[in-house]
């Protein structure tokens, strides 16, 4: 470009924009042209700022990016180049300039710039500069020099490596760890000097800044505490370094709590706790809790691991939970000793305080998750080893929800780019489907829900091998359509792509199938732990030579690894970090020091902070401060919340750890939404970050987020793929993360990692190929040549070949087979393999040759397995690194959210991302139904405000093992099903620990008072009724709105042929419930979902579902569908049913929902029909014996509730006995139901059996004939029924209506549509041709449209052609005439020539003779 003009013009590949920053100006020497340069030398000018953020058409960097690039290069030039580099700098680097400039770059850059800066600091050159800075941190220098170094460089370094966006970045974890570990140094010497210098500097800073500079001093302290805390956390040796203790004590002494922000006190507390110094946080008030002395007796506890008197139970029995493998080991499976299960009384356990809490929750949750499958695997192993089972064990095996697939054979390894190493296995088809066709087998497998993707299974062998696997989708990952080439002229890319395509086609052709083969089913598995020993053993099974090894595939129905593994791993990490907030409430080390009253949240303790309550006061200003009294009267006048809800909201905002109890129908969700809206209004002021909302079920989470979105809340993100809400489909995290732009560094790093992944997969694929052909001649030959050269020489080399002769006539493929068969006849020797290794091959017997060959195969397998294990390490590391880049995109998406919704299980799976968000508020709904372990993992280290909303009087958390439940006498001291919510509220029963206060909602808006009285008299004495529930209408078709129909029909016995043999059913109640539901639906008043049928048992649910499904279209709760599928309770596929006519279901109103009691918590219906099921002489109530489940069952109905069950059996439970007494006092219990005819309300109708409905109320009314006329005027032929059914009656009387143009009566039944055409036959209709005919009435009214069928002679037909044609008035008639004339010509009428012409603008067909 000369004189401002470029000879290339617009084709030039460089920018001609004069505002573009000069490239030479970016270099340290600057631009030699100076002012004469045509490009900009002013990156910070207004023109540059105006064009910042824009790119030219060729994608050139923006001015802002160019400016950053210049400053970044200038910053890197401050680092001395090592090992003879271009930049040589004499003397130490200028650390003040370097770290200050680095901080300025940090605060002015985006994510890409921050990543580049931190990665540069973590290089050898950057670490050398950090070392130079650390060398200047001498605490023996004068105070002025210490302050100068601290304020001039150290503080900028601390701020840079503790920047929130840097600390929270997942892709910067390793570079940051490198920096912090280097800062700590070998043995901690450098770290001790750093802490000593920082402590001295902090003391000088605190003295320098007086009380007026309170905030300024805290800004300096924040990065110091963050840096020291992270360095100590990453280096466990620091926690044992005695020199650090007095330094941290000196910091605590000079920086008193009144001189720190609350969040800084918390950071200092974490440092002190890690060093074992205890907390500085002020403890809340402790109530005087007097203890009543009672007699006690304690049994000896068998502690874990080496603490046990008898020694460790097995190789997975450890004192520290971080050493325990999640899935059971083979030694653990075979162990007969009971596992160590910590008691709810911490004094009986080996750990106390926070470590004890985490230890207990981990061990109990793990036992609940894997205890049943561990025992099932042990029993199957004993069965394979032909150890006879006791009768009780055999029955237990039948009752367990496991499926055993016998005669398993392992076939081959496969490798998938996304799914990793896979294993193909085959087993016998179930006997019941071996004779079915392919389609029928497919339908059976689909309906049985067995071996679905992600199902947990275990390979169990008779040799003691137990290998846990996951079922995976057998469909291979399709190759990428993008061709990998070095450039456009490289043809190798096409070849690589074609090879990948061929491999994909091979996998598709050989894809395992559960149903294709009639005798053998095939499944694709992936190993959970890719252990080289397991890989070697599996590879040896690919040959069927050793048929003595028996293998079974044990499937654990309904057990999903992601449902418990992430939570257990999170508890292990928390056990290492010990960074759980609210420890003083959750796990006080000294029980008597447990806090009873919680302080306000730390962010609310900042000076001047107040909550803006305007979202709850219709926009009117009202503020809440922890330091000033609150105006309750103004709040009551301005809000629509009731008094209990008002108190709950203010209590939740004023307490850092708040518990809110919401009895049924009191508006827990509404109160939760109100609290969240206030928190969102104050989110920016309090720097709260995203508010995390946690629910137990997907349904509840969707409801909560939908309420927020409908109230105008923006920036909502939903984590998890199981949402069924249309309103939330655009805010799913998975989709949002893919929209986050990657930085240049991230794109480059991902490219490098993908290249490494491809390389690793190539090596792994090669090894798997060898493992698949383990017994091949080539594999054994390679092994012998490398390991046993003498045996190799004896087998594959002859003396002639050693003399450079070529031996002809024997192929390598025959060598080993021939050697195995060529032993001397009669040789019976059978020496061990160890002896045979040093003997000539020709001197061995047949048995010895077979033994040695087996030894070679096993060793070759071990050799390849070890090589595969080595190859898998970089492969796994690369996959983890790639996964971190995707998680970083998720983190950046979540960091812009205002509300994050997630289920408890989803939170554990995404814990790595959520921990890096620095969220301060957690709101948990359904807290009484959530396991304590799940709540603990949700309490992220950054949480300062936790609000738990629930009701411990309703359902407790679901636990698989009844042995661990509180209601089981054997599990009372374990009580895994006691939620954290219930434990904190009711621990006051224990004289040692005071309870936490809670706010209770009191006004219910769901149940009619008569129904609410059942739970008010038994559980909630303070429960009040809102005035709207008093006006509920009565139940149509029923005399009473609340009634218990008792009976003596016994429950059905357990059917061991069913998979849910432990479930119960009652056929009488099934029929009675169906009849009652049909009767209520026939009233024609209730719409979809207004009527719900509840039962405590899945087996009863299935029977009711089947019965009602024959009459109505019904909706099933999603969780119950899953329960039915897990237990095999699904309807058979239609094609598997007996052949016969199909019956169409009548969708009367589609008004029914069917659910178990447990899965209906949180829902309601106008009418509830409860099937009690249990009826036995022993008075056993099963599931409905607990007050929590009874509470849920009694509190779902709004207008009416009907219980069908054996009152005598129920009376054995104290709460049911109270309910029965209440019903007896109201005359609402008996052996029959009183129905009510809406037209004849005084007619008494009593039904005691299902058949009575058909006799006394066949149509939903009474047995009298309907007295009302139909709309047509005829008398109704049916029995008395509702208006809706009356309007739907089909009248069968003869219709008397006439049609236009005639007086004939309609021939159809009155209920059928008459139609517009009269079809009565009319005789002697004269046609235009003169003939007479008989025709339907509507045609007789237009005789010209009737075609004459009278036979005519050929002459007559020809004579009347013209006349007939001229009388035709329509095109249709003309066409008919043409056809007729054509037939004449075809039959021999000579000389008939058709001519088409126009006569008087009308189309006519004229035939001339």
């Amino acid at each position: 470009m000369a004189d401002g003009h470029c000879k290339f013009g617009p084709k030039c590949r460089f920018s001609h924009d004069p505002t573009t920053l000069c490239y030479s100006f970016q270099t340290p020497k600057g631009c030699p042209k100076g002012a004469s340069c045509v490009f900009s030398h002013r990156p910070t000018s207004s023109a540059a700022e105006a064009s910042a953020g824009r790119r030219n058409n060729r994608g050139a960097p923006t001015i802002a990016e160019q400016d950053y690039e210049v400053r970044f290069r200038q910053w890197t030039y401050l680092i001395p180049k090592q090992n003879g580099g271009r930049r040589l700098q004499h003397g130490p680097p200028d650390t003040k300039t370097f770290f200050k400039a680095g901080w300025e770059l940090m605060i002015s850059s985006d994510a890409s710039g921050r990543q580049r800066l931190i990665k540069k600091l973590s290089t050898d050159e950057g670490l050398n500069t950090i070392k130079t800075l650390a060398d200047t941190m001498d605490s023996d220098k004068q105070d002025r020099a210490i302050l100068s170094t601290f304020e001039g460089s150290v503080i900028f370094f601390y701020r840079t490596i503790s920047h929130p966006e840097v600390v929270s970045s997942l892709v910067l974890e390793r570079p940051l760890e490198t920096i912090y570990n280097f800062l700590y140094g070998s043995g901690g010497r450098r770290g001790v000097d750093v802490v000593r210098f920082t402590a001295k500097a902090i003391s000088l800073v605190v003295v320098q800044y007086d009380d007026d500079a309170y905030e300024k001093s805290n800004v300096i302290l924040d990065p110091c505490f963050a840096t020291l805390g992270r360095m100590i956390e990453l280096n466990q040796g620091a926690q044992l370094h005695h020199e650090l203790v007095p330094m941290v004590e000196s910091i605590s002494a000079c920086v008193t709590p009144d001189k720190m922000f609350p969040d800084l006190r918390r950071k200092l507390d974490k440092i002190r706790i890690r060093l074992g110094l205890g907390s500085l946080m002020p403890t809340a008030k402790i109530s005087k809790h007097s203890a009543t002395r009672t007699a006690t007796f304690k049994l000896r506890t068998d502690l874990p691991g080496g603490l046990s008197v008898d020694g460790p139970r097995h190789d997975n029995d450890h004192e520290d939970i971080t050493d325990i493998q999640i899935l059971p080991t083979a030694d653990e499976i075979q162990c007969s000793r009971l596992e160590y299960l910590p008691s709810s009384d911490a004094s009986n356990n080996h750990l106390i305080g926070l470590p004890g809490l985490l230890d207990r929750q981990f061990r109990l949750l793990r036992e609940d998750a894997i205890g049943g499958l561990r025992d099932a695997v042990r029993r199957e192993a004993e069965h394979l080893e032909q150890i006879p089972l006791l009768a009780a064990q055999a029955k237990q095996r039948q009752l367990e929800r496991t499926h055993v697939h016998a005669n398993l054979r392992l076939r081959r390894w496969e490798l998938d780019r996304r799914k990793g190493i896979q294993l193909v296995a085959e087993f016998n088809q179930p006997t019941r489907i071996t004779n079915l066709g392919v389609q029928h087998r497919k339908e059976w497998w689909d309906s049985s829900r067995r071996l679905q993707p992600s199902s947990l299974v275990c390979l169990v062998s008779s040799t003691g091998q137990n290998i846990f696997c996951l079922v995976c989708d057998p469909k291979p990952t399709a190759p990428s359509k993008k061709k990998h080439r070095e450039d456009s002229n490289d043809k190798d890319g096409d070849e690589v792509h074609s090879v990948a395509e061929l491999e994909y086609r091979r996998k598709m052709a050989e894809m395992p199938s559960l149903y294709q083969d009639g005798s053998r089913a095939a499944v694709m598995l992936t190993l959970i732990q890719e252990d080289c020993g397991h890989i070697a053993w599996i590879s040896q099974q690919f040959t069927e030579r050793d048929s003595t090894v028996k293998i079974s595939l044990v499937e654990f129905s309904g057990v999903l690894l992601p449902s418990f593994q992430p939570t257990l791993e999170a508890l292990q990490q928390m056990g290492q970090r010990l960074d759980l907030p609210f420890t003083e409430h959750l796990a006080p080390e000294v029980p008597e020091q447990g806090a009873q009253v919680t302080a306000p949240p730390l962010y609310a303790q900042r000076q001047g902070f107040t909550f803006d309550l305007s979202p709850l006061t219709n926009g009117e200003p009202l503020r809440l401060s922890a330091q000033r009294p609150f105006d309750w009267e103004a709040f009551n006048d301005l809000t629509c919340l009731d008094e209990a809800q008002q108190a709950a909201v203010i209590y939740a905002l004023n307490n850092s750890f708040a518990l809110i109890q919401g009895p049924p129908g009191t508006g827990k969700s509404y109160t939760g939404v109100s609290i969240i809206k206030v928190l969102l209004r104050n989110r920016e002021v309090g720097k709260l970050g995203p508010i995390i909302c946690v629910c137990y079920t997907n349904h509840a989470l969707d409801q909560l987020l939908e309420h927020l979105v409908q109230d105008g809340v923006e920036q909502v993100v939903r984590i998890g793929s199981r949402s069924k809400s249309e309103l939330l489909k655009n805010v799913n995290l998975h989709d949002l993360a893919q929209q986050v732009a990657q930085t240049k560094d991230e794109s480059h790093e991902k490219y490098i990692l993908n290249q490494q992944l491809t390389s690793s997969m190539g090596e792994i694929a090669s090894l798997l190929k060898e493992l698949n052909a383990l017994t091949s001649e080539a594999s054994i030959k390679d092994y012998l040549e490398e390991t046993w050269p003498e045996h190799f020489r004896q087998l594959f080399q002859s003396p002639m070949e050693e003399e450079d002769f070529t031996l002809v006539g024997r192929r390598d493929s025959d060598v080993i087979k021939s050697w195995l068969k060529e032993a001397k006849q009669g040789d019976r020797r059978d020496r061990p393999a160890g002896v045979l290794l040093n003997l000539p091959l020709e001197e061995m017997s047949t048995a010895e040759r077979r033994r040695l060959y087996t030894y070679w195969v096993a060793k070759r397998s071990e050799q390849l397995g070890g090589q595969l294990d080595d190859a898998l390490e970089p492969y796994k590391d690369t996959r983890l690194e790639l996964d971190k880049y995707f998680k970083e995109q998720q983190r950046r998406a979540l960091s812009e959210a205002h509300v994050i919704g997630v289920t408890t299980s989803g939170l554990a799976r995404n814990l790595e991302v959520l921990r890096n968000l620095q969220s301060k508020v957690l709101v948990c709904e359904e807290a009484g139904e959530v396991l304590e372990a799940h709540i603990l993992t949700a309490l992220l280290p950054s949480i300062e405000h936790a609000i738990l909303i629930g009701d411990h009087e309703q359902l407790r958390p679901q636990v698989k093992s009844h042995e661990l439940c509180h209601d089981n006498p054997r599990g009372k001291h374990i009580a895994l099903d006691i939620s954290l919510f219930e434990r904190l509220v009711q621990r006051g029963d224990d004289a040692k620990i005071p309870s936490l206060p809670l706010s209770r909602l009191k006004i219910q808006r769901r149940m009619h008072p008569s129904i609410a009285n059942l739970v008010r008299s038994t559980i909630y004495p303070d429960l009040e009724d809102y005035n709207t529930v008093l006006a509920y209408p009565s139940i149509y078709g029923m005399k009473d709105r609340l009634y218990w129909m008792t009976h003596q029909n016994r429950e059905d016995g357990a059917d061991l042929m069913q998979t849910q043999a432990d479930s119960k059913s009652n056929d009488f109640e099934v029929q009675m419930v169906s009849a009652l539901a049909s009767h209520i639906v026939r009233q024609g008043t209730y719409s979809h979902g207004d009527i719900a049928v509840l039962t405590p048992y899945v087996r009863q649910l299935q029977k009711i579902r089947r019965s009602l499904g024959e009459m109505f279209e019904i909706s099933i709760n999603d969780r119950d569908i899953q329960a039915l599928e897990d237990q095999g309770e699904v309807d058979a596929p239609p094609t598997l049913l007996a052949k016969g006519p199909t019956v169409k279901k009548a969708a009367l109103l589609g008004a029914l929902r069917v659910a178990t009691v447990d899965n209906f918590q949180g829902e309601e219906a106008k009418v509830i029909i409860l099937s009690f099921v249990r009826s036995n002489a022993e008075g056993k109530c099963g599931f409905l014996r607990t007050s929590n489940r009874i509470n849920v069952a009694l509190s779902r109905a709004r207008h009416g509730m009907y219980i069908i069950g054996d009152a005598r059996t129920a009376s054995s439970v104290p709460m049911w006995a109270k309910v029965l007494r209440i019903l007896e006092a109201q005359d609402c219990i008996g052996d029959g139901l009183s129905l009510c005819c809406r037209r004849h309300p005084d007619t008494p109708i009593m039904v005691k059996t299902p058949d009575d409905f058909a006799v006394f109320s066949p149509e939903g009314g009474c047995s009298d004939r309907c007295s009302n006329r139909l709309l047509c005027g005829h008398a109704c032929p049916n029995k008395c029924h509702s208006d809706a059914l009356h309007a739907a009656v089909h009248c069968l009387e003869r219709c008397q209506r006439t049609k236009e143009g005639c007086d004939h009566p309609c021939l159809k039944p009155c209920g059928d549509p008459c139609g517009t055409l009269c079809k009565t036959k009319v005789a002697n209709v004269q046609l235009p041709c003169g003939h007479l005919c008989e025709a339907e009435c509507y045609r007789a009214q237009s005789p010209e449209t009737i075609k004459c069928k009278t036979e005519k002679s050929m002459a007559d037909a020809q004579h009347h052609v013209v006349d007939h044609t001229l009388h035709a008035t329509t095109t249709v008639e003309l066409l008919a005439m043409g056809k007729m004339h054509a037939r004449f010509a075809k039959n021999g009428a000579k000389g008939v020539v058709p001519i088409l012409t126009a006569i008087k603008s009308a189309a006519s067909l004229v035939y001339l003779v």
Side-chain angles (χ1 to χ4, degrees), residues 467-483:
I467 304 174
F468 287 94
C469 305
L470 293 177
V471 178
C472 55
D473 186 353
K475 186 175 182 180
T477 302
S480 174
K481 295 181 179 180
K482 180 179 179 181
K483 300 177 182 179

mmCIF file of all heavy atoms in Angstrom, residues 467-483:
data_model
loop_
_atom_site.group_PDB
_atom_site.id
_atom_site.type_symbol
_atom_site.label_atom_id
_atom_site.label_comp_id
_atom_site.label_asym_id
_atom_site.label_seq_id
_atom_site.Cartn_x
_atom_site.Cartn_y
_atom_site.Cartn_z
ATOM 1 N N ILE A 467 -18.502 -59.257 37.795
ATOM 2 C CA ILE A 467 -18.154 -58.042 37.053
ATOM 3 C C ILE A 467 -19.432 -57.260 36.787
ATOM 4 O O ILE A 467 -20.346 -57.742 36.102
ATOM 5 C CB ILE A 467 -17.452 -58.395 35.726
ATOM 6 C CG1 ILE A 467 -16.227 -59.272 35.996
ATOM 7 C CG2 ILE A 467 -17.057 -57.138 34.972
ATOM 8 C CD1 ILE A 467 -15.563 -59.789 34.731
ATOM 9 N N PHE A 468 -19.509 -56.042 37.322
ATOM 10 C CA PHE A 468 -20.689 -55.204 37.136
ATOM 11 C C PHE A 468 -20.587 -54.446 35.816
ATOM 12 O O PHE A 468 -19.529 -53.911 35.461
ATOM 13 C CB PHE A 468 -20.832 -54.221 38.297
ATOM 14 C CG PHE A 468 -21.286 -54.868 39.574
ATOM 15 C CD1 PHE A 468 -20.362 -55.288 40.523
ATOM 16 C CD2 PHE A 468 -22.630 -55.075 39.814
ATOM 17 C CE1 PHE A 468 -20.772 -55.898 41.695
ATOM 18 C CE2 PHE A 468 -23.053 -55.686 40.985
ATOM 19 C CZ PHE A 468 -22.126 -56.094 41.925
ATOM 20 N N CYS A 469 -21.713 -54.413 35.110
ATOM 21 C CA CYS A 469 -21.765 -53.774 33.795
ATOM 22 C C CYS A 469 -23.054 -52.961 33.679
ATOM 23 O O CYS A 469 -23.961 -53.073 34.503
ATOM 24 C CB CYS A 469 -21.738 -54.813 32.669
ATOM 25 S SG CYS A 469 -20.353 -55.951 32.718
ATOM 26 N N LEU A 470 -23.097 -52.172 32.623
ATOM 27 C CA LEU A 470 -24.312 -51.450 32.253
ATOM 28 C C LEU A 470 -24.736 -51.908 30.868
ATOM 29 O O LEU A 470 -23.899 -52.125 29.989
ATOM 30 C CB LEU A 470 -24.083 -49.934 32.236
ATOM 31 C CG LEU A 470 -23.810 -49.251 33.569
ATOM 32 C CD1 LEU A 470 -23.539 -47.766 33.355
ATOM 33 C CD2 LEU A 470 -24.972 -49.436 34.534
ATOM 34 N N VAL A 471 -26.036 -52.050 30.687
ATOM 35 C CA VAL A 471 -26.550 -52.337 29.346
ATOM 36 C C VAL A 471 -26.493 -51.043 28.537
ATOM 37 O O VAL A 471 -26.863 -49.978 29.023
ATOM 38 C CB VAL A 471 -28.000 -52.847 29.419
ATOM 39 C CG1 VAL A 471 -28.557 -53.098 28.025
ATOM 40 C CG2 VAL A 471 -28.066 -54.109 30.259
ATOM 41 N N CYS A 472 -26.005 -51.140 27.302
ATOM 42 C CA CYS A 472 -25.933 -49.942 26.474
ATOM 43 C C CYS A 472 -26.650 -50.174 25.153
ATOM 44 O O CYS A 472 -26.885 -51.317 24.737
ATOM 45 C CB CYS A 472 -24.483 -49.518 26.238
ATOM 46 S SG CYS A 472 -23.428 -50.779 25.532
ATOM 47 N N ASP A 473 -27.005 -49.102 24.515
ATOM 48 C CA ASP A 473 -27.684 -49.164 23.232
ATOM 49 C C ASP A 473 -26.765 -49.840 22.215
ATOM 50 O O ASP A 473 -25.643 -49.390 21.997
ATOM 51 C CB ASP A 473 -28.026 -47.743 22.778
ATOM 52 C CG ASP A 473 -28.879 -47.728 21.512
ATOM 53 O OD1 ASP A 473 -29.080 -48.806 20.933
ATOM 54 O OD2 ASP A 473 -29.327 -46.641 21.109
ATOM 55 N N PRO A 474 -27.216 -50.909 21.570
ATOM 56 C CA PRO A 474 -26.321 -51.630 20.663
ATOM 57 C C PRO A 474 -26.043 -50.904 19.352
ATOM 58 O O PRO A 474 -25.116 -51.267 18.634
ATOM 59 C CB PRO A 474 -27.074 -52.950 20.413
ATOM 60 C CG PRO A 474 -28.509 -52.596 20.600
ATOM 61 C CD PRO A 474 -28.537 -51.560 21.685
ATOM 62 N N LYS A 475 -26.838 -49.899 19.026
ATOM 63 C CA LYS A 475 -26.640 -49.205 17.747
ATOM 64 C C LYS A 475 -25.343 -48.423 17.789
ATOM 65 O O LYS A 475 -25.128 -47.591 18.662
ATOM 66 C CB LYS A 475 -27.802 -48.268 17.457
ATOM 67 C CG LYS A 475 -27.726 -47.642 16.074
ATOM 68 C CD LYS A 475 -28.963 -46.812 15.764
ATOM 69 C CE LYS A 475 -28.891 -46.226 14.366
ATOM 70 N NZ LYS A 475 -30.087 -45.414 14.048
ATOM 71 N N PRO A 476 -24.428 -48.668 16.835
ATOM 72 C CA PRO A 476 -23.134 -47.964 16.859
ATOM 73 C C PRO A 476 -23.280 -46.505 16.486
ATOM 74 O O PRO A 476 -24.252 -46.102 15.834
ATOM 75 C CB PRO A 476 -22.308 -48.731 15.810
ATOM 76 C CG PRO A 476 -23.324 -49.309 14.887
ATOM 77 C CD PRO A 476 -24.533 -49.626 15.714
ATOM 78 N N THR A 477 -22.311 -45.712 16.908
ATOM 79 C CA THR A 477 -22.281 -44.296 16.558
ATOM 80 C C THR A 477 -21.874 -44.151 15.096
ATOM 81 O O THR A 477 -20.864 -44.702 14.666
ATOM 82 C CB THR A 477 -21.290 -43.538 17.455
ATOM 83 O OG1 THR A 477 -21.681 -43.722 18.818
ATOM 84 C CG2 THR A 477 -21.272 -42.068 17.123
ATOM 85 N N ALA A 478 -22.687 -43.431 14.342
ATOM 86 C CA ALA A 478 -22.405 -43.260 12.919
ATOM 87 C C ALA A 478 -21.155 -42.415 12.737
ATOM 88 O O ALA A 478 -20.900 -41.480 13.515
ATOM 89 C CB ALA A 478 -23.588 -42.599 12.229
ATOM 90 N N PRO A 479 -20.346 -42.696 11.721
ATOM 91 C CA PRO A 479 -19.144 -41.885 11.483
ATOM 92 C C PRO A 479 -19.521 -40.469 11.080
ATOM 93 O O PRO A 479 -20.574 -40.238 10.486
ATOM 94 C CB PRO A 479 -18.437 -42.635 10.333
ATOM 95 C CG PRO A 479 -19.521 -43.401 9.653
ATOM 96 C CD PRO A 479 -20.498 -43.769 10.731
ATOM 97 N N SER A 480 -18.640 -39.546 11.424
ATOM 98 C CA SER A 480 -18.891 -38.150 11.100
ATOM 99 C C SER A 480 -18.869 -37.957 9.592
ATOM 100 O O SER A 480 -18.055 -38.539 8.870
ATOM 101 C CB SER A 480 -17.840 -37.260 11.761
ATOM 102 O OG SER A 480 -17.987 -35.921 11.342
ATOM 103 N N LYS A 481 -19.771 -37.126 9.098
ATOM 104 C CA LYS A 481 -19.807 -36.836 7.672
ATOM 105 C C LYS A 481 -18.652 -35.933 7.262
ATOM 106 O O LYS A 481 -18.313 -35.830 6.098
ATOM 107 C CB LYS A 481 -21.131 -36.169 7.308
ATOM 108 C CG LYS A 481 -22.333 -37.094 7.509
ATOM 109 C CD LYS A 481 -23.619 -36.406 7.119
ATOM 110 C CE LYS A 481 -24.814 -37.340 7.307
ATOM 111 N NZ LYS A 481 -26.088 -36.691 6.938
ATOM 112 N N LYS A 482 -18.085 -35.260 8.241
ATOM 113 C CA LYS A 482 -16.952 -34.380 7.944
ATOM 114 C C LYS A 482 -15.712 -35.226 7.683
ATOM 115 O O LYS A 482 -15.340 -36.068 8.475
ATOM 116 C CB LYS A 482 -16.705 -33.441 9.127
ATOM 117 C CG LYS A 482 -15.549 -32.482 8.899
ATOM 118 C CD LYS A 482 -15.375 -31.575 10.099
ATOM 119 C CE LYS A 482 -14.215 -30.624 9.910
ATOM 120 N NZ LYS A 482 -14.005 -29.755 11.072
ATOM 121 N N LYS A 483 -15.028 -34.996 6.591
ATOM 122 C CA LYS A 483 -13.837 -35.758 6.225
ATOM 123 C C LYS A 483 -12.616 -35.058 6.769
ATOM 124 O O LYS A 483 -12.413 -33.867 6.537
ATOM 125 C CB LYS A 483 -13.750 -35.896 4.708
ATOM 126 C CG LYS A 483 -14.957 -36.623 4.106
ATOM 127 C CD LYS A 483 -14.871 -36.667 2.602
ATOM 128 C CE LYS A 483 -16.096 -37.347 2.007
ATOM 129 N NZ LYS A 483 -16.049 -37.393 0.544
#
